[in-house]
Amino acid sequence: MIVQTVHLKWILKFEGWNILFFLMYGYFVYVLNLHFFEHLTLPDTEISVFGIAVAILLGFRNNEAYNRFWEARTAWGDLTNASRNFASQVIGYIESPENQGDVSQEAHRIHCELIYRHLAFLNALRMQLRQENTWEELRPLLSESEFQRLNQAINKATQLNHQQSLRLRELYRSGWIKQQAYIFGLMESIKDFFIGQGRCERIKTTPLPRQYAFFTRSFVWIFVLLLPFGLVQHLGWITLPIYVLLASIFTITERIGKRTEEPFESKLEDVPMSSICRNIEIDLRQQLGESIIPASLKPQDGVLM
């Protein structure tokens, strides 16, 4: 996610070739009108109306793209809140049947096991959404046997959350968790994690309908190719800078929508899942009472991943 000023180098990276094309195309239309076809122009009123229609279409498409981004960010915000609540439930509800009220060494070990597995779930979900293929990052959070079993799973986040529910059932049957805390507390949190995962997967696997992207992009380019023929009759050589500016505004706006509609693709504009996962890890480790806490992620070159 871009958290600082948009750099010129980013604009040139993503739009540089288009700007160069507009310079060459605008100059070509100006020379063509000046030396060969003096009256090679189009009615500026009709082009203006067409431009308004394209702007309305762009606004609609970009608004829908932002809604997808905001829903994705909201889903991760809900996962953050549910994670903090889950850690408090684990520490508060799970206690040794023999030493009620005391946090024994065994109880602390179980707390760590459950909370570390949850951190593995969050990071597995992040990596699945970004389609990463290496899972070594999860190894320190799981036992070696559980990590090896996880390698066989297709949907690793689902399996980790499912394993969490099985472990909680085992603890409940062993007397470590009271019935009400198990049913209405911990298992409700597991349900919230599945809901958050499902929301993210729905956004990931259901793109904005392709017809919006196709027709929006097509109409934008039809407009920017016709635009200099409406400007040259009134502006002469000034057509060139004005055309480059106007055309760039439309194409950059179209590109913003295209890049925003997919918030889980490791792009500059994406939801900062790595930073969110790290912040959750910091909170949960502090809730466990650990003294060695990882540092929060900082923006790199104005981008928080």
Side-chain angles (χ1 to χ4, degrees):
M1 181 174 70
I2 300 174
V3 295
Q4 297 178 6
T5 304
V6 176
H7 296 315
L8 178 61
K9 65 179 181 180
W10 295 341
I11 298 175
L12 295 178
K13 177 181 178 181
F14 299 117
E15 197 65 18
W17 287 109
N18 282 346
I19 293 174
L20 180 61
F21 170 78
F22 296 145
L23 282 168
M24 297 173 62
Y25 182 72
Y27 181 74
F28 170 75
V29 172
Y30 169 70
V31 171
L32 194 67
N33 178 75
L34 185 64
H35 296 289
F36 300 100
F37 301 99
E38 185 176 350
H39 301 291
L40 184 63
T41 58
L42 295 175
D44 54 340
T45 302
E46 284 74 2
I47 292 180
S48 298
V49 172
F50 184 33
I52 293 172
V54 172
I56 293 172
L57 182 61
L58 268 177
F60 171 79
R61 186 273 183 87
N62 283 18
N63 184 64
E64 292 302 309
Y66 179 77
N67 286 340
R68 285 170 57 83
F69 171 85
W70 186 244
E71 184 181 2
R73 182 61 186 87
T74 301
W76 274 94
D78 292 342
L79 283 170
T80 300
N81 297 335
S83 298
R84 294 165 178 160
N85 182 55
F86 177 71
S88 292
Q89 290 175 333
V90 166
I91 296 169
Y93 293 163
I94 299 177
E95 53 188 4
S96 172
E98 293 80 15
N99 302 294
Q100 296 290 334
D102 295 332
V103 181
S104 64
Q105 185 175 358
E106 178 64 13
H108 182 69
R109 185 191 67 79
I110 293 174
H111 296 165
C112 291
E113 173 198 341
L114 294 171
I115 290 176
Y116 285 2
R117 183 180 293 115
H118 178 64
L119 292 175
F121 158 76
L122 292 171
N123 284 282
L125 177 59
R126 165 180 61 83
M127 290 186 282
Q128 285 178 188
L129 293 172
R130 288 178 173 170
Q131 298 179 318
E132 298 178 8
N133 295 319
T134 177
W135 304 95
E136 286 299 314
E137 189 176 338
L138 305 181
R139 188 185 291 271
L141 301 171
L142 303 169
S143 66
E144 186 60 29
S145 59
E146 187 172 1
F147 179 77
Q148 295 300 330
R149 290 197 305 271
L150 186 66
N151 282 329
Q152 309 302 318
I154 296 175
N155 191 321
K156 293 176 172 53
T158 295
Q159 291 305 312
L160 284 167
N161 210 30
H162 176 61
Q163 182 61 35
Q164 194 83 291
S165 68
L166 295 179
R167 180 61 169 140
L168 289 172
R169 183 183 65 181
E170 178 184 331
L171 292 169
Y172 164 65
R173 290 177 174 176
S174 301
W176 284 78
I177 311 173
K178 295 179 180 179
Q179 182 178 30
Q180 189 159 348
Y182 170 69
I183 297 175
F184 299 108
L186 291 162
M187 291 308 295
E188 282 297 312
S189 293
I190 296 295
K191 176 183 175 182
D192 290 339
F193 299 144
F194 275 125
I195 290 174
Q197 177 185 352
R199 290 175 65 189
C200 293
E201 290 175 341
R202 172 172 52 81
I203 296 170
K204 175 70 176 181
T205 59
T206 309
L208 196 67
R210 293 299 90 192
Q211 58 268 29
Y212 288 127
F214 173 78
F215 285 110
T216 300
R217 185 175 180 81
S218 298
F219 292 152
V220 164
W221 276 95
I222 291 173
F223 172 70
V224 299
L225 292 176
L226 294 177
L227 181 59
F229 292 99
L231 296 176
V232 70
Q233 58 184 314
H234 301 293
L235 302 179
W237 68 269
I238 302 180
T239 295
L240 191 57
I242 298 298
Y243 169 63
V244 171
L245 177 62
L246 292 176
S248 297
I249 288 173
F250 274 85
T251 55
I252 289 174
T253 304
E254 188 274 333
R255 190 180 292 268
I256 288 173
K258 184 177 185 299
R259 294 180 63 85
T260 302
E261 69 185 43
E262 301 294 345
F264 299 134
E265 300 296 329
S266 297
K267 303 190 302 295
L268 302 179
E269 307 88 347
D270 286 356
V271 173
M273 294 186 290
S274 297
S275 176
I276 294 172
C277 287
R278 176 61 61 84
N279 290 338
I280 294 174
E281 181 178 358
I282 292 171
D283 290 341
L284 269 56
R285 287 184 181 274
Q286 288 182 330
Q287 286 175 271
L288 279 171
E290 295 185 359
S291 57
I292 301 177
I293 306 297
S296 59
L297 299 181
K298 302 299 182 182
Q300 298 292 326
D301 198 21
V303 178
L304 188 64
M305 297 301 291

